């Protein structure tokens, strides 16, 4: 959206372009359940924006769940399905309430903490049921993980563009991305 805004593409046209990009991406990564859920949710949101002004996020989450269960009803019993929908539902439901009561900390720290906290609240019953434990370290580790994922994704887009024009520069970004991914994966082992 930000890129399309910079190059002055109208919002409705950018929605259509993003819809096709998301469908392409979902096929590119071979339709993992979390990617399909996120894609269907984003498509429902973008289609809603094309036809109506306001979009209800709980409706987009429900549409996503409906289509996933329509094609594979047994995914209802998949822990990945339960965790991803519980986290997303909890963020949609509780984030606005929690962020209003939090002090404003620079650098989006308040928002990162609120997203992390609300996601943890949503998945807590499922993780306790599946793993018989409660981990508070993931709440803290998300402070590093959320910006790190954003950095990796942004770097990935730069790498993709640069690889078409300058292989040596693309290699530098690839090495930096490899280091960031390695650090991110190490952080997941700390929470275990």
């Amino acid at each position: 959206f930000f890129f399309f805004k910079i190059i002055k593409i109208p919002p409705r046209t950018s929605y259509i372009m993003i819809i096709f990009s998301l469908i392409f991406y979902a096929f590119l990564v071979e339709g993992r359940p979390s990617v399909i859920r996120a894609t269907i949710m984003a498509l429902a949101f973008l289609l809603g924006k094309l036809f109506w002004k306001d979009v209800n996020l709980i409706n987009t989450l429900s549409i996503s769940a409906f289509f996933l269960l329509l094609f594979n009803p047994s995914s209802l019993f998949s822990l990945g399905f339960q965790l991803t929908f519980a986290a997303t539902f909890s963020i949609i439901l509780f984030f606005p309430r929690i962020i209003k009561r939090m002090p404003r900390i620079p650098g989006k720290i308040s928002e990162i903490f609120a997203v992390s906290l609300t996601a943890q609240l949503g998945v807590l019953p499922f993780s306790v049921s599946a793993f018989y434990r409660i981990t508070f370290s993931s709440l803290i580790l998300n402070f590093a993980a959320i910006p790190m994922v954003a950095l990796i994704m942004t770097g990935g887009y730069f790498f993709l563009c640069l690889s078409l024009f300058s292989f040596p520069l693309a290699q530098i970004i690839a090495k930096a991305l490899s280091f960031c991914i390695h650090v991110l994966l190490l952080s997941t082992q700390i929470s275990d």
Side-chain angles (χ1 to χ4, degrees):
F1 282 123
F2 181 70
F3 175 72
F4 288 147
K5 204 172 187 180
I6 290 172
I7 60 173
K8 307 273 192 243
I9 291 179
R12 290 178 65 83
T13 308
S14 67
Y15 293 150
I16 293 166
M17 292 170 73
I18 291 170
I19 285 169
F20 284 109
S21 300
L22 285 170
I23 293 168
F24 171 75
Y25 179 76
F27 280 106
L28 184 70
V29 297
E30 299 176 353
R32 299 293 168 113
S34 60
V35 172
I36 296 296
R37 178 209 41 91
T39 303
I40 292 172
M41 243 187 101
L43 291 176
F45 177 80
L46 291 168
L47 288 169
K49 283 292 209 183
L50 278 173
F51 297 110
W52 302 282
K53 191 175 182 180
D54 295 322
V55 179
N56 185 314
L57 291 177
I58 292 178
N59 286 348
T60 62
L61 185 67
S62 302
I63 290 167
S64 175
F66 173 78
F67 281 109
L68 283 173
L69 293 173
L70 185 67
F71 292 112
N72 186 6
S74 65
S75 62
L76 179 64
F77 305 103
S78 158
L79 185 61
F81 178 92
Q82 294 167 356
L83 290 173
T84 194
F85 276 93
T88 308
F89 181 71
S90 185
I91 290 167
I92 292 168
L93 205 59
F94 299 119
F95 178 81
R97 294 178 175 105
I98 288 177
I99 200 69
K100 280 181 191 171
R101 291 173 173 79
M102 287 186 65
R104 290 280 170 214
I105 303 169
K108 300 222 178 241
I109 292 173
S110 301
E111 287 84 354
I112 292 170
F113 181 78
V115 166
S116 185
L117 178 64
T118 52
Q120 290 301 314
L121 288 172
V123 301
L124 188 65
F126 296 98
S127 28
V128 167
S129 172
F131 305 116
Y132 306 107
R133 65 182 178 150
I134 298 173
T135 56
F136 295 106
S137 60
S138 55
L139 187 61
I140 296 160
L141 291 171
N142 275 347
F143 274 107
I146 292 172
M148 186 72 80
V149 168
L151 179 69
I152 291 167
M153 293 294 291
T154 306
Y157 292 126
F158 279 117
F159 167 77
L160 189 62
C161 293
L162 270 177
S163 64
L164 299 172
F165 304 107
S166 172
F167 186 72
L169 282 175
Q171 272 189 313
I172 293 168
I173 291 179
K175 286 179 182 174
L177 285 173
S178 177
F179 174 75
C180 290
I181 291 167
H182 181 70
V183 170
L184 183 65
L185 292 174
L186 279 177
S187 76
T188 63
Q189 294 172 4
I190 295 168
S191 65
D192 295 340

